[in-house]
Amino acid sequence: MHCHKLKILSQRKAGFIGVREGHNLVHLRFNNIMLNFSFTDFLSFRRTTKLLMRNECRVLLPDGSEKVVLRTPYQGVNFLFSEREIRSLVNLMDEAYYFQQIYSLLQSE
């Protein structure tokens, strides 16, 4: 059995993003969320999340807090983020994206 080590593209206190060499699978852990994507789906998730920040898609919850709602394709499954959390997630994904681009360039040489 051949194991591929997880290559961390970005890591913060709240989580990390990594890939396994030879696999088209991005692992994202952020706070208590763990998601796996193909690289294409990761790019789509990153773009959607960045749009949420730009469009200021906030809702006021009954406890008086404002949260950004990230809807999923599954009815009734949504993620809530504070402004600080959504910025942190976007920064984590941006950093991972740029490091993946650098690694790809280095491998193609």
Side-chain angles (χ1 to χ4, degrees):
M1 182 173 172
H2 192 273
C3 284
H4 297 278
K5 186 176 179 184
L6 186 67
K7 179 179 10 175
I8 301 299
L9 299 174
S10 182
Q11 187 167 8
R12 306 270 166 94
K13 183 179 178 182
F16 71 89
I17 298 175
V19 295
R20 294 202 189 281
E21 284 187 33
H23 292 85
N24 181 28
L25 192 61
V26 177
H27 303 276
L28 183 154
R29 189 194 63 80
F30 186 79
N31 291 331
N32 61 348
I33 299 170
M34 178 71 147
L35 303 170
N36 297 311
F37 303 99
S38 69
F39 195 70
T40 302
D41 288 342
F42 170 73
L43 294 176
S44 177
F45 182 75
R46 177 177 167 255
R47 187 174 38 257
T48 299
T49 305
K50 289 176 86 141
L51 284 172
L52 285 175
M53 275 183 33
R54 226 177 288 137
N55 295 335
E56 298 184 6
C57 297
R58 294 187 198 109
V59 295
L60 184 62
L61 299 178
D63 67 0
S65 65
E66 279 191 352
K67 299 287 183 176
V68 176
V69 178
L70 177 59
R71 301 190 191 293
T72 71
Y74 305 100
Q75 184 177 358
V77 178
N78 302 299
F79 300 116
L80 295 175
F81 299 95
S82 69
E83 187 71 28
R84 181 185 56 76
E85 288 171 325
I86 198 79
R87 286 187 192 286
S88 179
L89 177 58
V90 165
N91 290 338
L92 185 75
M93 290 191 292
D94 282 348
E95 187 175 284
Y97 169 76
Y98 294 125
F99 273 107
Q100 180 60 35
Q101 295 302 305
I102 291 168
Y103 290 138
S104 293
L105 286 172
L106 292 174
Q107 288 176 350
S108 66
E109 291 182 352

